[in-house]
Amino acid sequence: INEEGNQVYAIDYVSDGSRFASGGRDCSVRVYDEATKNCVLSLGSSFDRQAVGHSNRIFAVKFDVAQPDVLISAGWDNTVQVWDLRAGHSVRSIWGAHVCGDALDLDGSTVLTGSWRPTEQLQLWDLRSSEIIEEIAWGRSPLGKEPCQLYAAQFSKHGQRDLIAAGGSGSNELKLFSRSSKKAIGSLALERGVYGLDFAPNGKTIAIAAGDSKVRVVAVPQ
């Protein structure tokens, strides 16, 4: 698949694997049929002036597991766009998250964002009202380190999805938070930044992609 003139920064599959979506430099979200690899829907940027959309690069896309015709995306323009694939356009937007990597997730009506900035990095939003629910305080960075600015954030995938993992650059940290207590229950400091992460389906491990070109698999504290 060649998206002429674009650079692709984000991709996500719908839960049944029948479709996937991409987002990137040209501010548009495209939805593809997995079997044919044909683009079946292009969700335009705000520059199209036909509907609300992104006005800068897109760095994260995420399908709603419970509603496969709903897709969210986020990027440099400080918005999360909520797309209804049946309508073919954005039906809602959330303003305030500066997403620069795979730092967007969805659990029911709760949206998780990780922002590349020194404060208010990790936030939860209400998908229905577009209002912020709460900020999860990152806490102090190691002595002498810059604050952690996030490139990656994700809910755990098992059970009640009670954990959040997030990481980034600056202090080059990964942290694991409990959603119920809003406290960090584990952390890992690296020499280089954290640019991607993924929970195992059983929740026992997390894979971390870092700036030293290594992928690490670490155990989740039990």
Side-chain angles (χ1 to χ4, degrees), residues 48-120:
D48 296 333
R49 298 182 181 178
Q50 299 299 314
V52 175
H54 285 292
S55 61
N56 213 322
R57 301 182 184 204
I58 299 167
F59 282 93
V61 293
K62 185 70 65 173
F63 278 99
D64 186 336
V65 173
Q67 303 179 82
D69 286 316
V70 174
L71 172 72
I72 61 175
S73 59
W76 273 359
D77 64 1
N78 299 330
T79 73
V80 176
Q81 297 295 332
V82 183
W83 307 91
D84 187 324
L85 305 188
R86 296 158 297 191
H89 57 77
S90 175
V91 296
R92 196 174 305 114
S93 60
I94 298 169
W95 189 88
H98 186 65
V99 174
C100 298
D102 190 14
L104 179 69
D105 207 354
L106 182 61
D107 178 29
S109 61
T110 302
V111 177
L112 169 69
T113 59
S115 293
W116 195 83
R117 59 191 178 203
T119 61
E120 300 180 336

Side-chain angles (χ1 to χ4, degrees), residues 122-126 131-136 179 182:
L122 199 58
Q123 295 171 306
L124 299 174
W125 309 81
D126 190 306
E131 297 295 328
I132 190 166
I133 299 172
E134 61 189 333
E135 176 194 350
I136 298 177
R179 288 176 70 180
K182 313 299 186 297

Side-chain angles (χ1 to χ4, degrees), residues 2-178:
N2 180 28
E3 295 187 358
E4 190 68 31
N6 192 28
Q7 294 177 356
V8 178
Y9 303 137
I11 194 166
D12 191 49
Y13 270 89
V14 73
S15 57
D16 66 4
S18 63
R19 294 173 292 171
F20 61 93
S22 70
R25 186 178 68 175
D26 69 358
C27 312
S28 293
V29 174
R30 294 173 177 84
V31 180
Y32 292 88
D33 181 270
E34 165 58 27
T36 65
K37 306 300 188 291
N38 291 328
C39 181
V40 296
L41 185 61
S42 180
L43 303 167
S45 72
S46 61
F47 296 112
D48 296 333
R49 298 182 181 178
Q50 299 299 314
V52 175
H54 285 292
S55 61
N56 213 322
R57 301 182 184 204
I58 299 167
F59 282 93
V61 293
K62 185 70 65 173
F63 278 99
D64 186 336
V65 173
Q67 303 179 82
D69 286 316
V70 174
L71 172 72
I72 61 175
S73 59
W76 273 359
D77 64 1
N78 299 330
T79 73
V80 176
Q81 297 295 332
V82 183
W83 307 91
D84 187 324
L85 305 188
R86 296 158 297 191
H89 57 77
S90 175
V91 296
R92 196 174 305 114
S93 60
I94 298 169
W95 189 88
H98 186 65
V99 174
C100 298
D102 190 14
L104 179 69
D105 207 354
L106 182 61
D107 178 29
S109 61
T110 302
V111 177
L112 169 69
T113 59
S115 293
W116 195 83
R117 59 191 178 203
T119 61
E120 300 180 336
Q121 302 99 314
L122 199 58
Q123 295 171 306
L124 299 174
W125 309 81
D126 190 306
L127 181 69
R128 298 159 299 189
S129 68
S130 300
E131 297 295 328
I132 190 166
I133 299 172
E134 61 189 333
E135 176 194 350
I136 298 177
W138 188 261
R140 290 187 176 183
S141 296
L143 187 64
K145 293 278 190 177
E146 301 173 23
C148 194
Q149 304 187 79
L150 302 184
Y151 280 110
Q154 189 182 89
F155 290 123
S156 57
K157 301 172 183 176
H158 70 297
Q160 299 300 310
R161 306 191 72 183
D162 187 51
L163 301 178
I164 295 172
S169 63
S171 60
N172 302 333
E173 290 178 282
L174 171 81
K175 283 192 176 183
L176 187 66
F177 295 87
S178 165

